[in-house]
Amino acid sequence: AGEVASSGGASDRGVEAPSPGCEIKGNVTTAGERIYHTPESRYYARTRISPSQGEAWFCSAEEAEAAGWRPAG
């Protein structure tokens, strides 16, 4: 628990979660803010995850917040 879901396979495209149930997208904004998007978030579908840019997938909002990310919006 408390670990960021690892990337690999389909997640390299930034579209599909690397693990079932780990669908929260941790996005780094152009201003350098770390925000996360849940599937219910307005921009979830257009948000792509780039692990090379420091972005990540999370399994829960609590996990994202514990890692220093804030909710989008």
Side-chain angles (χ1 to χ4, degrees):
E3 294 182 18
V4 174
S6 62
S7 63
S11 67
D12 289 343
R13 293 192 311 271
V15 178
E16 299 175 28
S19 302
C22 295
E23 299 176 342
I24 295 175
K25 297 177 178 181
N27 178 244
V28 178
T29 69
T30 55
E33 290 183 279
R34 299 189 317 170
I35 61 173
Y36 66 85
H37 299 268
T38 63
E40 297 79 25
S41 297
R42 180 176 181 180
Y43 297 109
Y44 184 85
R46 72 167 66 168
T47 301
R48 301 292 181 254
I49 299 306
S50 299
S52 63
Q53 300 294 318
E55 298 177 331
W57 292 93
F58 296 99
C59 299
S60 70
E62 294 81 8
E63 179 182 23
E65 290 175 19
W69 301 68
R70 69 166 179 81

